[in-house]
Amino acid sequence: MWMALAVVRSLSSGRRLCTPQDLEDFEQELIDQYLLAAVGDETIRQDRMVIFEFARFLGRPLWTAHAEDADRFLRDQRKARGLARSTVYKKSLALAQLFDFLIARYQGDVHALTGHVLVQPIDEFNRPVNRDYGQARVPPSDDDVDLLFTGWRTVVPRPRKYLPAARDYLAASLWRRVGLRITETTMLDVRDWRPDLGELGKLHVRYGKGSRGRGHKTRLVPASNGADALLTWWLTDVRHQFGDDWADPDAPLLPSERRDRDTGRCRRAGVNSLRSGFTGAVAKHLPAWSGRLSPHGMRHYCASSLYARGVDLKAVQELLGHEWLSTTTRYVHVHDDHIEHAWAVANDRIAARLIDREG
C-alpha cells in the first residue's frame, strides 16, 4: 500500500558533510523527511522500525546500499531469524518504498553531498513473492463451521470470564456471517450498529481497508445471514455488563475488560485478544483445523458460502468491501461438484424450454 507524499524541502543547500556526525545527521534527516511526507499512514511506525533495522544491519549510510545488501538482509530475515514469509515480504515493500522516495526526491542532494548515486536495492530478483500469490486459502466446509460455532456457543456461558468469551464469539460470528476484517471489527463503535437502516439493519464500517494509501474506506454492511439477531443479543443482554458506557454512541462496540485510567471507561478490545479467543475456540471445537484456520479464513468462508448459496458475486464484492471484482474471485472457493451442479441446472432449464416449445 503506497503512502501519500507531501512536499519536502531540499537538504543540500549551503552545507557540507565533514564529520561522521554530519553523515549520521544527514541520514537521519533523510529518514525524517520520508516519515514526515507519509504523515497519517497507520503503517508508518512499522516502516520506521524496518528502516532502522536495515540501517543497523547495513552498518554504513543508507545511500550506499545496493541489491547485494538487500539480498543479505532479506536472507537473514527468512533463514537466520526464521521470520514468516509474509513478514519478510512486508519489510521488503517498506524498504522499496523508502528508496523510491529518496531517489525521486533527493537523488541530486545525496549525490552532491556524498558522491554516491542512489539505487533501488529491492529489485525483481530479491523481492519476495507476494505471500498470497498462488496460495488458495480454502476455508472449511459448512459442516465444519457449524461444528465449530455450535460447540463454541454451548460453552460461552460456562467460562469464568463470560464477557470476553461472549465478545470473542460475536466477533467471530461477524467474520463468518458478513465477512468483516478483524481490524474493522475492533474499530466498531456502539453507534455503528444502525438497526434503522434497511430491513435487517446495517453496520457502518468506518475503518475499512483503503487501497494505495487513500485512507480508510467506509461502507454499510447489511446485517444479513443472522447477524442482526446476534447484534441484538449482544446489545440487549451482554454489552451493558462491561460498564455504564453501553449507551455512549462513541463507546467501543466490542470492549476490553480493561479500563482507561483517565476516564474509567472500557478500552477497545484489540486484534490480538480477538484472534487469541478464536484460536482457542478452533483448537477446542475444530481441532482438525487448529493452526490453519484464521480470522481471515473466516472471511473467505463467508464469501464462499454466500456465493454457493446463490448470492451474486457483485453483491459479495460490496459486502467484503473489495475495490476490484478480481479480488473477490480469489476469496470464493466452491465445492468440487459446484460446477457440475450448475451445469446440470442449466441443462434442465434448456430441456424444460425445449419440451415447452415442442408441446
Side-chain angles (χ1 to χ4, degrees):
M1 181 177 295
W2 298 100
M3 300 179 182
L5 301 179
V7 176
V8 292
R9 64 184 179 82
S10 173
L11 304 179
S12 64
S13 56
R15 68 186 300 177
R16 296 176 62 188
L17 306 181
C18 302
T19 67
Q21 186 62 52
D22 291 338
L23 293 172
E24 184 177 334
D25 290 345
F26 180 56
E27 182 181 49
Q28 181 64 58
E29 193 163 0
L30 287 171
I31 296 173
D32 288 345
Q33 290 299 314
Y34 168 66
L35 298 176
L36 285 171
V39 162
D41 193 287
E42 60 184 12
T43 63
I44 197 64
R45 184 177 66 84
Q46 291 87 344
D47 287 351
R48 181 179 183 276
M49 294 171 61
V50 173
I51 293 167
F52 282 107
E53 183 182 9
F54 179 66
R56 287 193 298 270
F57 181 90
L58 186 62
R60 60 180 195 273
L62 286 171
W63 54 79
T64 66
H66 290 276
E68 294 79 5
D69 301 308
D71 292 345
R72 292 189 299 108
F73 175 74
L74 297 175
R75 185 166 55 248
D76 177 78
Q77 297 283 303
R78 187 77 180 101
K79 301 297 184 181
R81 298 189 58 190
L83 297 183
R85 187 175 301 143
S86 61
T87 301
V88 179
Y89 174 72
K90 290 178 181 177
K91 289 188 176 186
S92 74
L93 292 186
L95 292 177
Q97 185 165 279
L98 166 69
F99 279 92
D100 279 346
F101 171 82
L102 295 180
I103 291 169
R105 297 290 182 89
Y106 294 116
Q107 177 72 275
D109 292 344
V110 170
H111 185 262
L113 289 170
T114 69
H116 284 273
V117 176
L118 282 165
V119 298
Q120 174 58 270
I122 306 295
D123 58 25
E124 59 182 310
F125 300 104
N126 61 20
R127 187 192 300 268
V129 176
N130 188 323
R131 65 190 184 281
D132 293 327
Y133 183 76
Q135 298 182 4
R137 295 185 179 183
V138 179
S141 66
D142 289 338
D143 290 341
D144 284 337
V145 172
D146 287 340
L147 181 64
L148 167 62
F149 280 87
T150 299
W152 195 353
R153 184 168 57 250
T154 59
V155 302
V156 163
R158 301 179 189 173
R160 181 174 60 86
K161 291 192 174 183
Y162 164 69
L163 295 183
R167 178 202 63 205
D168 297 345
Y169 177 83
L170 172 69
S173 297
L174 293 178
W175 308 334
R176 170 196 182 183
R177 297 179 183 277
V178 293
L180 293 192
R181 299 179 177 92
I182 188 170
T183 51
E184 294 172 345
T185 311
T186 62
M187 296 305 295
L188 289 171
D189 287 341
V190 171
R191 65 187 171 100
D192 291 325
W193 168 229
R194 297 291 306 275
D196 57 311
L197 297 180
E199 296 182 7
L200 302 172
K202 296 184 179 182
L203 279 168
H204 185 200
V205 177
R206 292 177 292 115
Y207 290 87
K209 183 179 179 182
S211 60
R212 299 181 181 273
R214 296 173 185 169
H216 297 295
K217 183 179 179 182
T218 64
R219 70 183 188 280
L220 288 171
V221 176
S224 55
N225 205 15
D228 55 336
L230 282 164
L231 287 163
T232 299
W233 160 74
W234 173 254
L235 289 170
T236 303
D237 298 338
V238 185
R239 178 61 181 85
H240 66 278
Q241 298 184 53
F242 278 88
D244 57 8
D245 63 344
W246 62 272
D248 181 355
D250 294 322
L253 182 67
L254 280 72
S256 167
E257 287 188 301
R258 296 182 179 181
R259 301 299 181 104
D260 186 279
R261 292 181 179 179
D262 297 326
T263 66
R265 296 291 188 91
C266 295
R267 293 183 178 180
R268 191 178 301 277
V271 167
N272 290 337
S273 295
L274 299 186
R275 182 179 286 114
S276 177
F278 180 75
T279 300
V282 172
K284 184 173 183 178
H285 303 293
L286 196 64
W289 281 84
S290 182
R292 295 193 293 145
L293 183 58
S294 66
H296 198 74
M298 293 309 302
R299 187 166 152 86
H300 280 249
Y301 168 78
C302 175
S304 301
S305 63
L306 291 177
Y307 181 72
R309 286 153 54 186
V311 178
D312 182 79
L313 194 60
K314 182 66 176 177
V316 176
Q317 175 193 3
E318 294 177 359
L319 182 73
L320 299 184
H322 288 152
E323 182 173 3
W324 303 104
L325 191 61
S326 59
T327 305
T328 308
T329 61
R330 295 200 297 270
Y331 278 63
V332 173
H333 311 275
V334 296
H335 297 295
D336 293 339
D337 62 348
H338 182 81
I339 295 176
E340 289 85 348
H341 177 71
W343 176 264
V345 170
N347 281 338
D348 288 344
R349 288 198 301 265
I350 294 173
R353 289 198 298 269
L354 180 61
I355 292 173
D356 289 341
R357 289 178 181 177
E358 292 182 345

